[in-house]
Amino acid sequence: MSSSYLPATTDSIAWALEAKTPSEAISILYRVLQNPSSAPDAVRIKEQAITNLSDLLRQENRAEELKSLLAQLRPFFALIPKAKTAKIVRGIIDDVAKIPGTSDLQISLCKEVVQWTRAEKRTFLRQRVEAKLAGLLMENKEYSEALNLLSGLIKEVRRLDDKLLLVDIDLLESKLHFSLRNLPKAKASLTAARTAANAIYVPPAQQGNIDLQSGILHAEEKDYKTAYSYFFEAFEAFNALEDPRAVFSLKYMLLCKIMVSQADDVAGIISSKAGLQYVGPELDAMKAVADAHAKRSLKLFEIALRDFKAQLEEDPIVHRHLSSLYDTLLEQNLCRLIEPFSRVEIAHIAELIELPVDHVEKKLSQMILDKKFAGTLDQGAGCLVIFDDPKTDAIYPTTLETISNIGKVVDSLYVRSAKIMV
């Protein structure tokens, strides 16, 4: 990089655009930024140079240089309005976020920017960077630090009544509580986000985020029909914006259909006009699960989980619901298989259901403890002994009810006799 600066003019910008290599363009733009001129036209050209330079560094995956650029620009930020500074800083942070594998760098960058904004008393920018930092900490599973940061930020933003930022923070807090499995607080934060959103215009992408989180929370409560409607709203919002999150909304819609035993509808949704745009591994995974559920086949279910591990087991929302579905399906199949027997070898059941013997034995013992059926495991013989369901004798509850009614009659007669005596 040459130490001599270039004039901050449109010709310099054009020269950078015409450069043969990205490295050459980056060098030219750095030299434009080194120009000491603070004239209005020069400042405007420098702003354009910063935008172009940031884009080029992102394309070249030079995250460390983007971080250094932000530190180098601090004297320049004193020359431009605070709103423009906030736009540039947030833009560079977003560019770093687009470079894969930079989560730790993003966290350290945000912490540096927060310290600088505190020193410069740039409250508007600090609050937004802190919200971004809390999101990064949550993705990094540093939940306690993220929660501490958000709790102080929420109080501050509520005092200022910045509704748009409040929606972002409340929604983030809801996701954080959900990650910590604190469902009541997650719902409370989501309600607060919806209340703030109703008072202002919310961009479609943010509304889609709110609907997506609503669907996730309703699905967690096993209210799959309501969850489906929220996922559908989120899908429509993201689809209109061509947002990559649309495919996840569609995936969760299909999950809801499977969970309410409407697996036959999955193929129709995938083959619809909207669904065909997102055909890929995510939808193929849900189709495989739907086929396994429709055929009540545990073997097909396990094949789907193995073939689409990234799409099913590594997605915590899908994995949680499919684990529940798998257990239900396994119990139904086992109950159906053992029904004709009073004594049966565990190996025979395992052969019929096409699962390992130790897996079947473990599940049968769990079902006996949960009182799904009456029986015992004879481990010496490797057999399952099934008992007849004990018939409940109706005489005991009837006798208790009769005694209770006699007691009421005696009490009533005592009250009446007491009144006569008076």
Side-chain angles (χ1 to χ4, degrees), residues 257-308:
K257 284 291 182 186
I258 294 167
M259 296 305 291
V260 294
S261 301
Q262 293 178 1
D264 296 337
D265 294 348
V266 168
I269 294 170
I270 292 173
S271 59
S272 66
K273 185 181 176 182
L276 287 171
Q277 297 176 48
Y278 299 99
V279 169
E282 301 288 347
L283 299 194
D284 290 344
M286 298 315 293
K287 191 173 187 300
V289 172
D291 289 342
H293 185 267
K295 293 173 183 174
R296 301 283 177 193
S297 170
L298 285 165
K299 189 176 182 181
L300 288 176
F301 203 108
E302 290 204 328
I303 289 169
L305 289 174
R306 187 181 67 242
D307 292 348
F308 298 100

Side-chain angles (χ1 to χ4, degrees), residues 332-342 344 384 386:
Q332 288 173 354
N333 276 268
L334 285 172
C335 286
R336 180 171 53 82
L337 288 172
I338 64 175
E339 194 175 0
F341 301 103
S342 60
V344 60
L384 170 69
I386 300 107

